[in-house]
PDB file of all heavy atoms in Angstrom:
ATOM      1  N   ASP B 316      11.025  14.746   1.344  1.00 69.00           N
ATOM      2  CA  ASP B 316      10.816  13.532   0.558  1.00 69.00           C
ATOM      3  C   ASP B 316       9.507  13.547  -0.226  1.00 69.00           C
ATOM      4  O   ASP B 316       9.043  12.514  -0.685  1.00 69.00           O
ATOM      5  CB  ASP B 316      10.803  12.302   1.489  1.00 69.00           C
ATOM      6  CG  ASP B 316      12.163  11.992   2.044  1.00 69.00           C
ATOM      7  OD1 ASP B 316      13.162  12.321   1.384  1.00 69.00           O
ATOM      8  OD2 ASP B 316      12.226  11.431   3.145  1.00 69.00           O
ATOM      9  N   ARG B 317       8.896  14.691  -0.375  1.00 71.00           N
ATOM     10  CA  ARG B 317       7.591  14.729  -1.045  1.00 71.00           C
ATOM     11  C   ARG B 317       7.698  14.520  -2.550  1.00 71.00           C
ATOM     12  O   ARG B 317       6.788  13.999  -3.170  1.00 71.00           O
ATOM     13  CB  ARG B 317       6.905  16.056  -0.768  1.00 71.00           C
ATOM     14  CG  ARG B 317       6.357  16.184   0.631  1.00 71.00           C
ATOM     15  CD  ARG B 317       5.859  17.579   0.865  1.00 71.00           C
ATOM     16  NE  ARG B 317       4.821  17.961  -0.071  1.00 71.00           N
ATOM     17  CZ  ARG B 317       3.524  17.735   0.128  1.00 71.00           C
ATOM     18  NH1 ARG B 317       3.134  17.123   1.209  1.00 71.00           N
ATOM     19  NH2 ARG B 317       2.635  18.127  -0.766  1.00 71.00           N
ATOM     20  N   HIS B 318       8.806  14.952  -3.095  1.00 76.00           N
ATOM     21  CA  HIS B 318       8.911  15.081  -4.542  1.00 76.00           C
ATOM     22  C   HIS B 318       9.577  13.855  -5.165  1.00 76.00           C
ATOM     23  O   HIS B 318      10.362  13.968  -6.089  1.00 76.00           O
ATOM     24  CB  HIS B 318       9.752  16.338  -4.815  1.00 76.00           C
ATOM     25  CG  HIS B 318       9.344  17.096  -6.016  1.00 76.00           C
ATOM     26  ND1 HIS B 318       8.046  17.295  -6.362  1.00 76.00           N
ATOM     27  CD2 HIS B 318      10.081  17.704  -6.976  1.00 76.00           C
ATOM     28  CE1 HIS B 318       7.995  18.003  -7.485  1.00 76.00           C
ATOM     29  NE2 HIS B 318       9.218  18.267  -7.864  1.00 76.00           N
ATOM     30  N   LEU B 319       9.289  12.672  -4.662  1.00 91.00           N
ATOM     31  CA  LEU B 319      10.104  11.494  -4.924  1.00 91.00           C
ATOM     32  C   LEU B 319      10.156  11.033  -6.382  1.00 91.00           C
ATOM     33  O   LEU B 319      11.154  10.493  -6.824  1.00 91.00           O
ATOM     34  CB  LEU B 319       9.609  10.330  -4.050  1.00 91.00           C
ATOM     35  CG  LEU B 319       9.787  10.524  -2.549  1.00 91.00           C
ATOM     36  CD1 LEU B 319       9.162   9.378  -1.780  1.00 91.00           C
ATOM     37  CD2 LEU B 319      11.258  10.638  -2.212  1.00 91.00           C
ATOM     38  N   PHE B 320       9.073  11.202  -7.118  1.00 92.00           N
ATOM     39  CA  PHE B 320       9.020  10.643  -8.465  1.00 92.00           C
ATOM     40  C   PHE B 320       9.075  11.701  -9.560  1.00 92.00           C
ATOM     41  O   PHE B 320       9.009  11.356 -10.732  1.00 92.00           O
ATOM     42  CB  PHE B 320       7.744   9.793  -8.630  1.00 92.00           C
ATOM     43  CG  PHE B 320       7.833   8.467  -7.951  1.00 92.00           C
ATOM     44  CD1 PHE B 320       7.529   8.328  -6.601  1.00 92.00           C
ATOM     45  CD2 PHE B 320       8.251   7.338  -8.645  1.00 92.00           C
ATOM     46  CE1 PHE B 320       7.630   7.111  -5.972  1.00 92.00           C
ATOM     47  CE2 PHE B 320       8.348   6.108  -8.020  1.00 92.00           C
ATOM     48  CZ  PHE B 320       8.037   5.991  -6.681  1.00 92.00           C
ATOM     49  N   ALA B 321       9.174  12.967  -9.174  1.00 87.00           N
ATOM     50  CA  ALA B 321       9.049  14.044 -10.158  1.00 87.00           C
ATOM     51  C   ALA B 321      10.082  13.917 -11.285  1.00 87.00           C
ATOM     52  O   ALA B 321       9.724  13.916 -12.471  1.00 87.00           O
ATOM     53  CB  ALA B 321       9.166  15.387  -9.464  1.00 87.00           C
ATOM     54  N   SER B 322      11.352  13.809 -10.945  1.00 89.00           N
ATOM     55  CA  SER B 322      12.362  13.781 -12.006  1.00 89.00           C
ATOM     56  C   SER B 322      12.308  12.469 -12.785  1.00 89.00           C
ATOM     57  O   SER B 322      12.509  12.450 -14.004  1.00 89.00           O
ATOM     58  CB  SER B 322      13.761  14.021 -11.420  1.00 89.00           C
ATOM     59  OG  SER B 322      14.031  13.070 -10.433  1.00 89.00           O
ATOM     60  N   LEU B 323      12.000  11.391 -12.106  1.00 94.00           N
ATOM     61  CA  LEU B 323      11.944  10.085 -12.773  1.00 94.00           C
ATOM     62  C   LEU B 323      10.832  10.048 -13.828  1.00 94.00           C
ATOM     63  O   LEU B 323      11.061   9.656 -14.974  1.00 94.00           O
ATOM     64  CB  LEU B 323      11.710   8.992 -11.727  1.00 94.00           C
ATOM     65  CG  LEU B 323      11.988   7.568 -12.158  1.00 94.00           C
ATOM     66  CD1 LEU B 323      13.475   7.318 -12.354  1.00 94.00           C
ATOM     67  CD2 LEU B 323      11.442   6.589 -11.127  1.00 94.00           C
ATOM     68  N   VAL B 324       9.625  10.457 -13.432  1.00 93.00           N
ATOM     69  CA  VAL B 324       8.517  10.408 -14.398  1.00 93.00           C
ATOM     70  C   VAL B 324       8.732  11.447 -15.505  1.00 93.00           C
ATOM     71  O   VAL B 324       8.341  11.225 -16.657  1.00 93.00           O
ATOM     72  CB  VAL B 324       7.128  10.574 -13.727  1.00 93.00           C
ATOM     73  CG1 VAL B 324       6.874   9.472 -12.725  1.00 93.00           C
ATOM     74  CG2 VAL B 324       6.958  11.938 -13.084  1.00 93.00           C
ATOM     75  N   GLY B 325       9.377  12.566 -15.156  1.00 92.00           N
ATOM     76  CA  GLY B 325       9.686  13.568 -16.183  1.00 92.00           C
ATOM     77  C   GLY B 325      10.669  13.013 -17.198  1.00 92.00           C
ATOM     78  O   GLY B 325      10.478  13.140 -18.409  1.00 92.00           O
ATOM     79  N   HIS B 326      11.701  12.347 -16.722  1.00 95.00           N
ATOM     80  CA  HIS B 326      12.743  11.799 -17.603  1.00 95.00           C
ATOM     81  C   HIS B 326      12.177  10.745 -18.547  1.00 95.00           C
ATOM     82  O   HIS B 326      12.570  10.672 -19.716  1.00 95.00           O
ATOM     83  CB  HIS B 326      13.861  11.207 -16.747  1.00 95.00           C
ATOM     84  CG  HIS B 326      14.984  10.629 -17.533  1.00 95.00           C
ATOM     85  ND1 HIS B 326      15.926  11.421 -18.171  1.00 95.00           N
ATOM     86  CD2 HIS B 326      15.322   9.338 -17.824  1.00 95.00           C
ATOM     87  CE1 HIS B 326      16.791  10.646 -18.800  1.00 95.00           C
ATOM     88  NE2 HIS B 326      16.454   9.374 -18.610  1.00 95.00           N
ATOM     89  N   PHE B 327      11.265   9.917 -18.039  1.00 97.00           N
ATOM     90  CA  PHE B 327      10.736   8.815 -18.862  1.00 97.00           C
ATOM     91  C   PHE B 327       9.359   9.133 -19.466  1.00 97.00           C
ATOM     92  O   PHE B 327       8.723   8.248 -20.034  1.00 97.00           O
ATOM     93  CB  PHE B 327      10.669   7.528 -18.033  1.00 97.00           C
ATOM     94  CG  PHE B 327      12.017   6.930 -17.770  1.00 97.00           C
ATOM     95  CD1 PHE B 327      12.662   7.151 -16.563  1.00 97.00           C
ATOM     96  CD2 PHE B 327      12.667   6.172 -18.738  1.00 97.00           C
ATOM     97  CE1 PHE B 327      13.918   6.619 -16.314  1.00 97.00           C
ATOM     98  CE2 PHE B 327      13.925   5.634 -18.490  1.00 97.00           C
ATOM     99  CZ  PHE B 327      14.559   5.863 -17.282  1.00 97.00           C
ATOM    100  N   GLY B 328       8.917  10.379 -19.342  1.00 94.00           N
ATOM    101  CA  GLY B 328       7.637  10.771 -19.950  1.00 94.00           C
ATOM    102  C   GLY B 328       6.444  10.060 -19.344  1.00 94.00           C
ATOM    103  O   GLY B 328       5.514   9.667 -20.055  1.00 94.00           O
ATOM    104  N   LEU B 329       6.474   9.895 -18.030  1.00 95.00           N
ATOM    105  CA  LEU B 329       5.401   9.147 -17.354  1.00 95.00           C
ATOM    106  C   LEU B 329       4.525  10.058 -16.487  1.00 95.00           C
ATOM    107  O   LEU B 329       3.900   9.593 -15.537  1.00 95.00           O
ATOM    108  CB  LEU B 329       6.013   8.045 -16.481  1.00 95.00           C
ATOM    109  CG  LEU B 329       6.919   7.029 -17.180  1.00 95.00           C
ATOM    110  CD1 LEU B 329       7.591   6.111 -16.162  1.00 95.00           C
ATOM    111  CD2 LEU B 329       6.121   6.199 -18.177  1.00 95.00           C
ATOM    112  N   GLU B 330       4.468  11.347 -16.823  1.00 92.00           N
ATOM    113  CA  GLU B 330       3.750  12.297 -15.954  1.00 92.00           C
ATOM    114  C   GLU B 330       2.279  11.927 -15.770  1.00 92.00           C
ATOM    115  O   GLU B 330       1.683  12.262 -14.754  1.00 92.00           O
ATOM    116  CB  GLU B 330       3.833  13.719 -16.511  1.00 92.00           C
ATOM    117  CG  GLU B 330       5.214  14.354 -16.443  1.00 92.00           C
ATOM    118  CD  GLU B 330       5.988  14.182 -17.731  1.00 92.00           C
ATOM    119  OE1 GLU B 330       5.636  13.262 -18.515  1.00 92.00           O
ATOM    120  OE2 GLU B 330       6.924  14.964 -17.953  1.00 92.00           O
ATOM    121  N   GLN B 331       1.692  11.276 -16.767  1.00 93.00           N
ATOM    122  CA  GLN B 331       0.259  10.958 -16.657  1.00 93.00           C
ATOM    123  C   GLN B 331       0.000   9.577 -16.043  1.00 93.00           C
ATOM    124  O   GLN B 331      -1.147   9.163 -15.908  1.00 93.00           O
ATOM    125  CB  GLN B 331      -0.391  11.068 -18.034  1.00 93.00           C
ATOM    126  CG  GLN B 331      -0.491  12.531 -18.482  1.00 93.00           C
ATOM    127  CD  GLN B 331      -1.002  12.670 -19.878  1.00 93.00           C
ATOM    128  OE1 GLN B 331      -0.392  12.180 -20.814  1.00 93.00           O
ATOM    129  NE2 GLN B 331      -2.127  13.336 -20.017  1.00 93.00           N
ATOM    130  N   VAL B 332       1.069   8.904 -15.696  1.00 95.00           N
ATOM    131  CA  VAL B 332       0.913   7.580 -15.063  1.00 95.00           C
ATOM    132  C   VAL B 332       0.634   7.770 -13.572  1.00 95.00           C
ATOM    133  O   VAL B 332       1.372   8.489 -12.885  1.00 95.00           O
ATOM    134  CB  VAL B 332       2.196   6.737 -15.262  1.00 95.00           C
ATOM    135  CG1 VAL B 332       2.111   5.422 -14.477  1.00 95.00           C
ATOM    136  CG2 VAL B 332       2.428   6.465 -16.737  1.00 95.00           C
ATOM    137  N   PRO B 333      -0.422   7.153 -13.049  1.00 95.00           N
ATOM    138  CA  PRO B 333      -0.681   7.283 -11.608  1.00 95.00           C
ATOM    139  C   PRO B 333       0.459   6.706 -10.773  1.00 95.00           C
ATOM    140  O   PRO B 333       0.926   5.598 -11.060  1.00 95.00           O
ATOM    141  CB  PRO B 333      -1.963   6.461 -11.389  1.00 95.00           C
ATOM    142  CG  PRO B 333      -2.536   6.228 -12.735  1.00 95.00           C
ATOM    143  CD  PRO B 333      -1.423   6.302 -13.720  1.00 95.00           C
ATOM    144  N   VAL B 334       0.906   7.471  -9.788  1.00 95.00           N
ATOM    145  CA  VAL B 334       1.870   6.959  -8.802  1.00 95.00           C
ATOM    146  C   VAL B 334       1.073   6.743  -7.513  1.00 95.00           C
ATOM    147  O   VAL B 334       0.575   7.698  -6.917  1.00 95.00           O
ATOM    148  CB  VAL B 334       3.020   7.955  -8.560  1.00 95.00           C
ATOM    149  CG1 VAL B 334       3.976   7.403  -7.493  1.00 95.00           C
ATOM    150  CG2 VAL B 334       3.767   8.236  -9.860  1.00 95.00           C
ATOM    151  N   ILE B 335       0.920   5.487  -7.118  1.00 97.00           N
ATOM    152  CA  ILE B 335      -0.020   5.144  -6.048  1.00 97.00           C
ATOM    153  C   ILE B 335       0.746   4.669  -4.805  1.00 97.00           C
ATOM    154  O   ILE B 335       1.208   3.538  -4.752  1.00 97.00           O
ATOM    155  CB  ILE B 335      -1.000   4.044  -6.522  1.00 97.00           C
ATOM    156  CG1 ILE B 335      -1.668   4.477  -7.840  1.00 97.00           C
ATOM    157  CG2 ILE B 335      -2.038   3.754  -5.451  1.00 97.00           C
ATOM    158  CD1 ILE B 335      -2.540   3.409  -8.478  1.00 97.00           C
ATOM    159  N   PRO B 336       0.896   5.542  -3.811  1.00 95.00           N
ATOM    160  CA  PRO B 336       1.580   5.118  -2.578  1.00 95.00           C
ATOM    161  C   PRO B 336       0.603   4.386  -1.656  1.00 95.00           C
ATOM    162  O   PRO B 336      -0.388   4.956  -1.217  1.00 95.00           O
ATOM    163  CB  PRO B 336       2.022   6.452  -1.938  1.00 95.00           C
ATOM    164  CG  PRO B 336       1.665   7.529  -2.932  1.00 95.00           C
ATOM    165  CD  PRO B 336       0.564   6.969  -3.775  1.00 95.00           C
ATOM    166  N   LEU B 337       0.893   3.125  -1.402  1.00 97.00           N
ATOM    167  CA  LEU B 337       0.032   2.305  -0.549  1.00 97.00           C
ATOM    168  C   LEU B 337       0.576   2.288   0.869  1.00 97.00           C
ATOM    169  O   LEU B 337       1.783   2.188   1.069  1.00 97.00           O
ATOM    170  CB  LEU B 337      -0.043   0.874  -1.091  1.00 97.00           C
ATOM    171  CG  LEU B 337      -0.678   0.715  -2.469  1.00 97.00           C
ATOM    172  CD1 LEU B 337      -0.518  -0.723  -2.955  1.00 97.00           C
ATOM    173  CD2 LEU B 337      -2.158   1.094  -2.439  1.00 97.00           C
TER     174      LEU B 337
END
Side-chain angles (χ1 to χ4, degrees):
Chain B
D316 289 332
R317 286 173 59 88
H318 215 40
L319 295 175
F320 284 85
S322 57
L323 196 70
V324 299
H326 181 75
F327 287 99
L329 303 173
E330 291 95 340
Q331 289 175 299
V332 174
V334 178
I335 307 174
L337 296 173

